[in-house]
Amino acid sequence: MALTQHFDYLHVFAGMLVGVLVGLTGVGGGSLMTPLLVLLFGVSPQTAVGTDLLFAAMTKIVGSVVHGKRETVDWRIVRRMACGSVPAAIVTLGFLSWFGKVGNSTEHLIMVSLAVLLGITAVAVIGRKWLLRLARDIDPNQPRSQVLGSTILLGAAIGIAVSISSVGAGAIGMTVLLILYPKLPVARIVGSDIAHAVPLALIAGFGHWMIGDVDFALLGVLLIGSVPGVVIGSYLSSHASDRILQPLLACVLAVSSWQLFLKANAGEKRAPAPTTAQGVSIAGEAAAKQP
């Protein structure tokens, strides 16, 4: 019954659109699906993040299997990033669980974090070629301990970002990895980033499920569209031009970031109103009861 309530062509089309873009660009669904759920479908930010985390995990499982068969996953990088991301995600989820019980400001925190991360992701997509040129100028003989520490720190940052807003494991993570490991083929970096995103998204999604922020009926409908969308996008990726795809994706992320900022600020301005009205109502009832 719940599945039929959520099932409509807009949800399926949104899942397919995100799946196609993920297959085309390699950027995670969190940068695209969460804003769509919040801005277009009116889903609460907490539920959108929790649902999207499991959505991203399930779609990237397919990508991980493909990359694993093609031996384009560097498990050394995956382990290093997981050493930072998994503990950071667990701590962040514990903080969100406690913070959500204090007041309604949790949703404002999630929306602001999501808007900031979307803006950073848009800049990373646009400046990826410049960052790659910068990577060539980095000393190739830099100490292994520095690369190791930077990779673990990157994993921790991604773990916090993904747990709060479901954004971070895509364009941001892959762009930094391209700088840290400039000699590795891009395919291995992409495969490693996707493989690392699967357990992280599963852990973060499970945590949001325990908090009560996952809509499984909505998740099922979105996957109906995203699974064929990922297949289509992966097939078209070899024929698409980066000169068209990257600016298009950056514009979508920038607009979503701006809209989420507006929505977060509007919600913050409206928050004191119910308290004031409630106070006036209570004061009025108290005055009416006085003889």
Side-chain angles (χ1 to χ4, degrees), residues 8 15 65 103 120 137 139-140 164 171 204 245:
D8 60 63
V65 172
I120 295 174
D137 298 332
D139 183 10
I164 293 178
L245 289 177

Side-chain angles (χ1 to χ4, degrees), residues 16-289:
M16 178 170 288
L17 174 64
V18 172
V20 171
L21 290 176
V22 168
L24 281 170
T25 64
V27 177
S31 303
L32 302 170
M33 180 55 72
T34 302
L36 282 176
L37 292 177
V38 174
L39 298 176
L40 183 61
F41 299 111
V43 179
S44 68
Q46 287 177 293
T47 302
V49 170
T51 304
D52 182 52
L53 283 168
L54 292 180
F55 169 84
M58 293 180 183
T59 53
K60 289 188 176 182
I61 285 175
V62 179
S64 298
V65 172
V66 174
H67 280 280
K69 290 182 177 180
R70 294 181 178 180
E71 298 182 353
T72 53
V73 176
D74 192 324
W75 295 108
R76 176 192 55 176
I77 296 178
V78 175
R79 288 193 297 268
R80 290 177 178 179
M81 295 182 69
C83 286
S85 64
V86 172
I90 294 174
V91 172
T92 304
L93 288 169
F95 172 78
L96 284 177
S97 178
W98 173 82
F99 191 67
K101 297 177 182 179
V102 175
N104 295 327
S105 56
T106 304
E107 289 193 0
H108 180 261
L109 171 66
I110 293 175
M111 293 186 71
V112 171
S113 302
L114 178 58
V116 171
L117 289 168
L118 284 175
I120 295 174
T121 305
V123 174
V125 171
I126 286 293
R128 183 174 295 176
K129 291 184 178 180
W130 178 82
L131 291 172
L132 286 175
R133 288 196 298 268
L134 177 65
R136 298 191 186 100
D137 298 332
I138 296 178
D139 183 10
N141 298 319
Q142 55 183 320
R144 293 184 179 180
S145 59
Q146 182 178 349
V147 176
L148 172 63
S150 300
T151 306
I152 295 175
L153 184 61
L154 171 64
I158 291 177
I160 295 173
V162 168
S163 299
I164 293 178
S165 65
S166 78
V167 178
I172 299 176
M174 192 167 64
T175 301
V176 178
L177 286 177
L178 286 170
I179 296 176
L180 291 176
Y181 301 91
K183 292 186 176 181
L184 283 181
V186 176
R188 289 184 64 85
I189 293 180
V190 172
S192 303
D193 185 65
I194 291 177
H196 166 257
V198 172
L200 174 60
L202 285 174
I203 292 173
F206 179 78
H208 279 272
W209 175 34
M210 297 300 294
I211 298 173
D213 296 332
V214 176
D215 189 331
F216 284 99
L218 176 61
L219 173 63
V221 175
L222 294 175
L223 288 174
I224 291 174
S226 69
V227 171
V230 170
V231 175
I232 295 172
S234 300
Y235 175 76
L236 295 176
S237 61
S238 59
H239 304 286
S241 173
D242 289 343
R243 294 181 180 180
I244 298 176
L245 289 177
Q246 289 188 359
L248 175 63
L249 180 61
C251 289
V252 172
L253 297 176
V255 171
S256 298
S257 174
W258 176 247
Q259 291 298 322
L260 283 174
F261 263 125
L262 294 179
K263 191 176 182 69
N265 291 333
E268 187 179 27
K269 292 178 181 178
R270 290 195 302 265
T275 304
T276 304
Q278 184 180 10
V280 172
S281 176
I282 294 175
E285 291 178 1
K289 292 181 180 180

